[in-house]
Amino acid sequence: MKEDEQKLFITKFESLARDMQIGWPPFKQAVTYGHGNEAQLLKDLLSMSIAIYDEDPTPYKYTSYRVFKELTPMKRFEYQSPRHSQGTSYGGYRPKYDLMAALLLKKMSDKDVFDKNILDVYKSLWYLRLTNKSVFNYGDNRSQNLTSNLYYGILSLLHTAYSNDYDKNLAKFSQSDMALTKEKIFEDDTVLTLLLNDPKTKGKVLTKDEISVLLPLTSFTGKVTGSMIARTGWDFSDGTNDVVVDIKGGGYSFGNHQHADAGSFQISYKGKQIVDLGQYHYYGTLYDRKFNKRSIAHSMMLVVDPTEYTSKECVDDPRKCIRDGGQKKALRKPPKSEKEIKDNLQKYKRGEVISESTAPENVFAPDFSYYALDLASAYSKKISTYRKKSVFINLKDKDIPAVLIMLDTIQTSDETFKKYWQINTLNKPTIDSSTGIITTHNSINRGDEGNVVVNMLKPSVDERKTTLFSEGNSTNVFGTQYTPPRPDMPEANGTRIMISPLGDNDYDEFLTAFTMKKPDIDPDKLPISYT
């Protein structure tokens, strides 16, 4: 370009930059979360500042300061757990821009500016993929019960360009699984494909056996945003018998699109069985703040303290107060640094991973996977102690493929605080009135039925009360009704099953077995008892 043309482009660049949410200079938004952790800074402004550095180095000083001093230290800490705090949709979207910045800086300087743990983030999203080609909802998820919206192809393409490993294979597996032809593998971003897709790096569509060699069946995601995702296989074909279980662990609150759901769990067997019922459509509405992001929308433990407020507006106006029995409120403004978290643990800590293991150890297909959590710090002082221990058993049986055993032991600071053990389903379950056994049904009818038999052993059936909120009442939070933004979606018509002890006790134990089985198989084929 001629010098006058260069000046014109630079002027126009800065004019466009001033219209961005992050502003110019780019200091109006945080860069560790929110829209500031997306394309504005990490792709657009960083690219611009590198391109015009010879003519004007100041823009690069602004953008690189925010990347080096704020973003990379926080991501180094956060990505110790590869499970992204912002949920299924945003957790598949924002890492894309972290990788773009990492790739720009590496190609420019031949240095890894970001910690290499950035390469592990997308793999936890892989584990959330279900056999019906959707995903487990967690965090604010726009895709709901539809086909996955996880940007796998571009994430994997960026990984391949950055690390030159096998990610291109995973990209092709992901895209082909979403019914795209080989010719359309990376069509969702043709410019990036042109820039980054090295034809010398060969990729192919992986079979379930090939992916099993790359990814173990059980994934633990560490202690920053902990979880255990355990599955019986990587078969995504119709009629598959695979089971997937996701248990959210302890860690820290990063707010924004994260929910108050430490210790919650989901089960998929021939479709979604035990689920998150929240819908994400509009950010910050009453429904979004009081149901979607709250514990009540998840399968987890609730404890009602009659004096507890869940938000400041409740204190200012008690008429607006909603006590859902759940955990501390998810933060709107996340921490900006690891130091801020460590200096304010009461504010940010949401439980802790105590133990995790598989047997046999260090195998790709373990017989069982064990996960233990201390979740007391996720709640207010209404809970003195709360431990959750879970064992997922891969039975490798076509009729009864898996069992999940879960023990919740909880003590409240007041024996009158009511405890509710809750699970949520998309279809209304059946309940045996004499035994209290709950049977859930698969959520997507493909002519291939499956059940989850929920057998609570403690408290016994005569020591507990079971209440169902269904047929439009699933969004009723202890008397306050909320209207879901998408009443046509399965989540809006689900069922909440709440089980509470009959007496007033400060300490209670909930021991439950979840048996995944085909409908025509007698559950007594796998008898359950305890001593």
Side-chain angles (χ1 to χ4, degrees):
M1 290 182 181
K2 297 177 182 178
E3 185 175 350
D4 59 338
E5 293 174 329
Q6 293 175 348
K7 289 180 179 179
L8 176 62
F9 269 88
I10 292 172
T11 300
K12 294 297 184 182
F13 287 157
E14 293 184 353
S15 175
L16 290 170
R18 284 191 292 272
D19 288 337
M20 288 183 172
Q21 287 181 327
I22 201 169
W24 189 258
F27 292 98
K28 286 186 178 180
Q29 292 178 315
V31 297
T32 56
Y33 67 93
H35 294 175
N37 187 212
E38 294 176 359
Q40 299 178 92
L41 183 82
L42 302 180
K43 177 172 72 77
D44 301 330
L45 295 179
L46 184 58
S47 298
M48 175 201 77
S49 67
I50 293 171
I52 68 174
Y53 183 85
D54 289 340
E55 291 74 29
D56 183 1
T58 301
Y60 180 75
K61 292 178 181 180
Y62 289 147
T63 56
S64 63
Y65 173 86
R66 302 218 69 186
V67 172
F68 297 156
K69 295 295 185 180
E70 298 177 54
L71 184 68
T72 54
M74 190 59 172
K75 293 302 178 180
R76 183 183 304 116
F77 169 72
E78 185 180 349
Y79 288 164
Q80 291 177 84
S81 285
R83 181 166 181 146
H84 201 282
S85 66
Q86 299 299 286
T88 313
S89 288
Y90 289 91
Y93 181 69
R94 288 180 180 163
K96 179 170 73 171
Y97 295 106
D98 292 338
L99 273 169
M100 287 183 189
L103 190 59
L104 279 167
L105 293 167
K106 183 175 182 178
K107 293 296 184 183
M108 182 183 74
S109 65
D110 198 31
K111 295 181 183 295
D112 290 305
V113 175
F114 284 74
D115 191 282
K116 288 190 176 182
N117 61 19
I118 194 176
L119 292 171
D120 297 326
V121 177
Y122 87 106
K123 292 179 184 176
S124 66
L125 295 169
W126 258 93
Y127 278 92
L128 293 165
R129 297 199 61 153
L130 306 180
T131 55
N132 61 12
K133 300 179 182 177
S134 68
V135 295
F136 274 137
N137 294 357
Y138 93 91
D140 286 342
N141 179 24
R142 291 188 182 278
S143 65
Q144 297 297 319
N145 212 40
L146 304 177
T147 300
S148 167
N149 182 26
L150 294 181
Y151 311 94
Y152 283 131
I154 294 304
L155 262 181
S156 299
L157 177 61
L158 286 161
H159 276 266
T160 301
Y162 193 82
S163 63
N164 293 318
D165 65 8
Y166 57 79
D167 297 69
K168 193 169 182 179
N169 287 340
L170 293 179
K172 289 200 169 189
F173 182 93
S174 171
Q175 297 284 13
S176 66
D177 187 44
M178 289 188 278
L180 298 176
T181 66
K182 289 183 179 181
E183 289 71 27
K184 296 182 179 181
I185 292 298
F186 300 125
E187 197 171 89
D188 55 338
D189 200 323
T190 52
V191 174
L192 270 181
T193 301
L194 178 64
L195 290 172
L196 302 178
N197 183 28
D198 182 0
K200 296 177 183 177
T201 304
K202 300 298 181 182
K204 66 176 182 177
V205 178
L206 298 176
T207 67
K208 62 182 180 181
D209 295 327
E210 288 171 325
I211 195 172
S212 296
V213 176
L214 297 175
L215 299 177
L217 293 182
T218 297
S219 168
F220 298 109
T221 60
K223 297 191 175 185
V224 177
T225 47
S227 67
M228 179 181 80
I229 311 171
R231 56 198 308 135
T232 59
W234 291 103
D235 187 356
F236 294 99
S237 62
D238 288 347
T240 177
N241 217 32
D242 281 347
V243 176
V244 190
V245 169
D246 175 34
I247 303 174
K248 294 288 293 296
Y252 303 99
S253 175
F254 293 91
N256 198 206
H257 296 289
Q258 192 174 10
H259 291 183
D261 61 352
S264 67
F265 67 101
Q266 301 186 73
I267 297 176
S268 172
Y269 170 55
K270 296 185 180 295
K272 295 180 178 180
Q273 299 272 4
I274 294 176
V275 299
D276 167 7
L277 286 180
Q279 293 184 345
Y280 177 64
H281 198 62
Y282 302 108
Y283 188 90
T285 63
L286 272 179
Y287 170 88
D288 182 53
R289 290 184 285 119
K290 302 296 186 181
F291 188 81
N292 174 51
K293 287 182 170 63
R294 289 298 304 154
S295 306
I296 194 80
H298 304 80
S299 297
M300 58 186 293
M301 183 65 66
L302 307 172
V303 175
V304 175
D305 171 1
T307 67
E308 183 177 37
Y309 291 159
T310 61
S311 68
K312 183 179 182 300
E313 72 180 58
C314 292
V315 178
D316 296 339
D317 186 351
R319 293 171 300 174
K320 298 179 180 179
C321 182
I322 302 300
R323 302 182 184 97
D324 73 337
Q327 297 177 353
K328 299 173 186 175
K329 185 176 70 170
L331 304 172
R332 292 197 67 156
K333 293 186 177 181
K336 296 181 180 179
S337 68
E338 179 182 356
K339 184 179 185 302
E340 183 180 342
I341 291 175
K342 297 299 176 63
D343 289 346
N344 299 275
L345 285 179
Q346 177 64 25
K347 179 179 181 180
Y348 294 112
K349 191 170 183 182
R350 296 295 189 271
E352 184 177 359
V353 177
I354 302 171
S355 179
E356 56 190 38
S357 63
T358 58
E361 290 184 290
N362 302 318
V363 297
F364 274 64
D367 294 329
F368 78 78
S369 304
Y370 173 75
Y371 201 45
L373 308 169
D374 182 338
L375 296 167
S377 61
Y379 297 78
S380 69
K381 293 181 179 180
K382 66 185 177 183
I383 290 182
S384 302
T385 60
Y386 177 22
R387 297 286 179 94
K388 176 185 282 288
K389 300 178 181 179
S390 305
V391 178
F392 177 77
I393 305 172
N394 184 352
L395 296 175
K396 302 178 176 69
D397 182 276
K398 63 181 179 62
D399 295 328
I400 306 178
V403 171
L404 174 66
I405 301 171
M406 187 173 290
L407 174 64
D408 294 271
T409 59
I410 185 167
Q411 184 166 20
T412 55
S413 57
D414 188 319
E415 66 179 15
T416 64
F417 293 171
K418 199 68 177 175
K419 305 179 189 71
Y420 296 92
W421 183 95
Q422 175 176 274
I423 57 173
N424 302 330
T425 62
L426 295 178
N427 291 338
K428 189 174 182 178
T430 57
I431 301 180
D432 188 312
S433 58
S434 61
T435 64
I437 292 176
I438 302 167
T439 303
T440 73
H441 311 274
N442 64 326
S443 59
I444 297 178
N445 185 3
R446 298 181 298 164
D448 186 24
E449 296 293 325
N451 297 142
V452 175
V453 178
V454 185
N455 188 345
M456 180 170 281
L457 305 172
K458 295 181 69 176
S460 63
V461 65
D462 57 350
E463 296 175 324
R464 67 182 190 252
K465 177 183 179 181
T466 302
T467 306
L468 268 66
F469 290 85
S470 189
E471 297 172 354
N473 288 321
S474 62
T475 53
N476 187 298
V477 182
F478 294 103
T480 301
Q481 186 75 37
Y482 293 97
T483 302
R486 291 288 305 276
D488 57 316
M489 296 297 289
E491 288 80 3
N493 301 288
T495 298
R496 290 178 22 239
I497 305 103
M498 303 179 74
I499 298 177
S500 56
L502 290 178
D504 288 340
N505 310 299
D506 60 350
Y507 178 81
D508 282 287
E509 295 182 350
F510 298 83
L511 176 61
T512 314
F514 304 81
T515 303
M516 280 53 85
K517 74 172 191 69
K518 292 183 176 179
D520 57 345
I521 300 301
D522 188 339
D524 289 338
K525 178 182 176 182
L526 188 69
I528 296 173
S529 63
Y530 78 99
T531 57

